[in-house]
Amino acid sequence: MEWTNWLTLGIAVLGATLGVFNAVWLIRKDTVRLKVRFVTLYVPGADVWTGAVEVINTGYLPVTINEVAFHSGRRSKTRAAVITDFLQRTQLPHRLEPRTVVSVAAHPDILGNIDSGRFTWCSTSTACETQVFAKIKRKKR
């Protein structure tokens, strides 16, 4: 094979690779991507510890968070929804812009339920009916 054939093959492979990469990027760009995790917060004014669900929008689309809840299991139908933020910083539903984070604090009684094993999962649901779960990893203080 001559060098012109190798050059043509190289350019064709590069074009095909970039085409696949761009197709995957466009599909991934238009999807809702959230990360959910449980955090423990200390409230200095009230001198109390409380639990919060932190929702991170890692995607490129703005998302509206409708509900934050705690579950006894991932597939459990019963849940304890957080109606209002204990610290009164966030009001649900909350519009979460791309690459931003919001924490919704629950009542301090939630830590007792988590320590007793009643709640082992936390979740968030969006206006577009996407639900994201996270296992609660609690460290003993």
Side-chain angles (χ1 to χ4, degrees):
M1 242 167 118
E2 291 184 26
W3 69 273
T4 55
N5 291 345
W6 285 107
L7 181 63
T8 304
L9 179 64
I11 291 172
V13 168
L14 178 66
T17 304
L18 289 176
V20 170
F21 176 77
N22 285 334
V24 169
W25 176 255
L26 285 174
I27 291 170
R28 191 167 184 228
K29 184 179 172 188
D30 293 335
T31 57
V32 173
R33 290 186 289 160
L34 297 173
K35 286 185 182 178
V36 176
R37 66 180 175 188
F38 176 78
V39 293
T40 306
L41 299 175
Y42 177 70
V43 184
D47 195 33
V48 69
W49 286 89
T50 186
V53 176
E54 194 173 72
V55 182
I56 306 164
N57 185 1
T58 59
Y60 294 98
L61 298 173
V63 178
T64 301
I65 304 297
N66 281 343
E67 179 185 81
V68 171
F70 292 92
H71 305 263
S72 59
R74 182 166 181 178
R75 305 224 186 279
S76 175
K77 296 292 183 195
T78 59
R79 68 186 192 288
V82 179
I83 305 299
T84 59
D85 184 25
F86 179 71
L87 303 177
Q88 297 178 352
R89 295 181 302 181
T90 307
Q91 184 177 3
L92 295 177
H94 180 78
R95 184 157 177 93
L96 196 57
E97 294 299 322
R99 308 290 186 198
T100 57
V101 63
V102 66
S103 295
V104 180
H107 195 273
D109 294 340
I110 201 73
L111 292 179
N113 290 328
I114 290 171
D115 287 339
S116 69
R118 181 169 176 217
F119 298 129
T120 56
W121 289 82
C122 59
S123 73
T124 186
S125 61
T126 66
C128 61
E129 298 181 2
T130 302
Q131 200 167 24
V132 181
F133 290 88
K135 181 93 169 132
I136 296 176
K137 298 175 184 134
R138 178 107 160 92
K139 297 176 185 170
K140 302 292 181 193
R141 36 181 166 116

